[in-house]
Amino acid sequence: MSQNSKISLSVNNWVNQVLGAAKHNVPAAQASAYAPSNIALSKYWGKREASFNLPVTSSLSISLAKHGTNTGLSVIDALAHQVILNGEEVDATGNFAIKVTQWLDRVLPRNLKLRIDTVNTVPTAAGLASSASGFAALTLATNSLMGWQLTKRQLSALARLGSGSASRSLWHGFVKWQAGEQADGSDSVAFPLQQQWPQLKMGLLTISSQTKAVSSREGMARTIATSPLYKQWPQQAELDLAVIEAAIEANDFETMAKTAEHNAMSMHATMSAAWPPLVYWQPESLTQMQKVWQLREQGLPLYLTMDAGPNLKLLFEAKHQTDVEAAFAEVQIISPFGTTC
Ligand code: PMV
């Protein structure tokens, strides 16, 4: 038996343990669920174990309210799952369909096949990662279809198997994903923070919405294997998370946003010191970053964060929304705690 099949066997064993007899429940005819997308303020970058998607560090994110994924499931009489993305059937051999069907085949009885209808509600071409909200919505919808009645903690661990950041997309508002210590990841789960911050805004600056050439999974592995700067990352990430969590509690925007920006820049520094170098930015990303820094020099409390891609996410408070809109004609404003955006 190869090393790989040994590992996947142990993930399957864990899944079977969690689901127990409920794995063979009679499914409802259909079910659906929604999950918001999320942006980390203190990032997850690096796996301590790849098959369970276990992170090196804890991370903390903010969910994007109505920007996320709606997933509908229905039982079909077929030999294979059918995956529909934004109204169109996707190629069964493509990355997206493979990840979705692999996840489903782990949690469903062997002969049960589904039609999976996934609709992303993130602004079109916003370049937001949809894998977090996608796997969270898929997990919630499957829980409902199968009548598993799992706890949110268990669902968070199941969503993590699809995509690490999906573990955080089961809640609105601020969410913390605890790295955990167990080998099977049963304590590597997310939970919501109680604090609300209605004045907090996020601005999306989309530089490109194309699929990235290097996936997060591959990028993380390359960074850990080759970047000398990664050695300092776990310590900084845990420290940043603690500072951000305290700043959220204290409603201290400057400390929260400054630390989030510093955390993102440090994560990108670990990547650019990898070999071959890993740079997700495009020239326009840097132009926009410099504009943010210039506006800040001029007194505007505006900060940025970036994930494994070229797009910027701006952080600011509601009272500065007009200034931000005046400076960035193309910005899409999101109110993580609001009802309007
Ligand atoms: O969950 P993944 O495999 O898509 O990785 C997410 C990685 C970052 O977006 C860069 C950071 C994060 O914490 O979301």
Side-chain angles (χ1 to χ4, degrees):
M1 189 188 289
S2 76
Q3 188 62 18
N4 260 348
S5 57
K6 257 190 217 155
I7 286 169
S8 73
L9 203 63
S10 80
V11 175
N12 289 345
N13 284 348
W14 177 81
V15 168
N16 288 339
Q17 218 176 50
V18 169
L19 297 179
K23 180 163 183 178
H24 298 280
N25 283 354
V26 177
Q30 50 194 42
S32 64
Y34 170 79
S37 187
N38 76 74
I39 300 295
L41 299 171
S42 183
K43 310 285 186 194
Y44 146 54
W45 193 251
K47 300 176 201 289
R48 68 173 197 272
E49 201 286 316
S51 65
F52 281 93
N53 266 344
L54 300 179
V56 172
T57 68
S58 301
S59 56
L60 194 157
S61 62
I62 179 148
S63 288
L64 302 188
K66 66 178 195 177
H67 303 292
T69 303
N70 269 308
T71 296
L73 300 178
S74 42
V75 176
I76 54 173
D77 187 9
L79 292 176
H81 300 294
Q82 188 188 10
V83 185
I84 318 286
L85 176 60
N86 295 329
E88 280 179 37
E89 181 157 3
V90 301
D91 176 9
T93 60
N95 216 6
F96 178 73
I98 289 178
K99 280 186 80 178
V100 168
T101 52
Q102 266 177 356
W103 188 91
L104 282 170
D105 286 339
R106 274 209 166 115
V107 301
L108 296 179
R110 197 177 289 263
N111 296 329
L112 181 58
K113 299 298 169 202
L114 304 179
R115 174 188 157 105
I116 304 101
D117 229 311
T118 292
V119 179
N120 291 327
T121 61
V122 289
T124 22
L128 278 180
S130 51
S131 65
S133 52
F135 273 105
L138 180 66
T139 305
L140 291 170
T142 314
N143 181 52
S144 155
L145 186 90
M146 297 304 295
W148 288 337
Q149 299 186 324
L150 295 179
T151 62
K152 278 279 197 99
R153 203 180 142 87
Q154 291 170 315
L155 293 172
S156 176
L158 277 179
R160 168 177 38 76
L161 298 178
S163 162
S165 52
S167 66
R168 301 186 306 237
S169 264
L170 297 182
W171 296 271
H172 287 286
F174 295 113
V175 179
K176 184 170 163 181
W177 171 17
Q178 198 72 54
E181 287 170 359
Q182 301 296 324
D184 67 359
S186 44
D187 57 350
S188 184
V189 294
F191 56 90
L193 304 185
Q194 293 316 310
Q195 288 79 13
Q196 302 281 309
W197 200 331
Q199 301 307 313
L200 184 64
K201 300 278 171 176
M202 189 171 279
L204 305 182
L205 285 182
T206 305
I207 312 295
S208 164
S209 52
Q210 278 177 3
T211 312
K212 51 191 172 235
V214 180
S215 68
S216 310
R217 173 175 287 266
E218 193 185 330
M220 288 181 199
R222 189 192 298 176
T223 308
I224 291 189
T226 65
S227 172
L229 297 191
Y230 191 79
K231 285 182 189 64
Q232 60 76 43
W233 170 255
Q235 204 186 350
Q236 184 189 342
E238 295 291 358
L239 198 67
D240 287 346
L241 190 150
V243 172
I244 289 172
E245 201 174 346
I248 290 171
E249 262 173 49
N251 228 276
D252 176 352
F253 173 77
E254 294 271 345
T255 304
M256 183 278 287
K258 176 182 144 192
T259 312
E261 180 173 315
H262 195 193
N263 179 273
M265 296 304 291
S266 306
M267 175 184 76
H268 281 273
T270 69
M271 299 178 195
S272 56
W275 196 262
L278 192 56
V279 178
Y280 286 101
W281 303 344
Q282 290 182 8
E284 182 61 16
S285 313
L286 198 54
T287 304
Q288 298 300 329
M289 287 155 88
Q290 282 170 334
K291 192 164 159 184
V292 169
W293 296 329
Q294 207 171 34
L295 287 163
R296 203 154 72 214
E297 290 262 297
Q298 292 163 8
L300 186 66
L302 176 67
Y303 294 83
L304 64 91
T305 182
M306 293 178 76
D307 291 310
N311 305 316
L312 277 71
K313 287 99 188 182
L314 306 180
L315 294 165
F316 56 95
E317 289 182 291
K319 59 188 172 204
H320 298 297
Q321 182 163 336
T322 324
D323 297 324
V324 171
E325 281 169 330
F328 301 93
E330 306 292 320
V331 70
Q332 289 173 291
I333 311 277
I334 290 184
S335 305
F337 294 94
T339 49
T340 50
C341 298

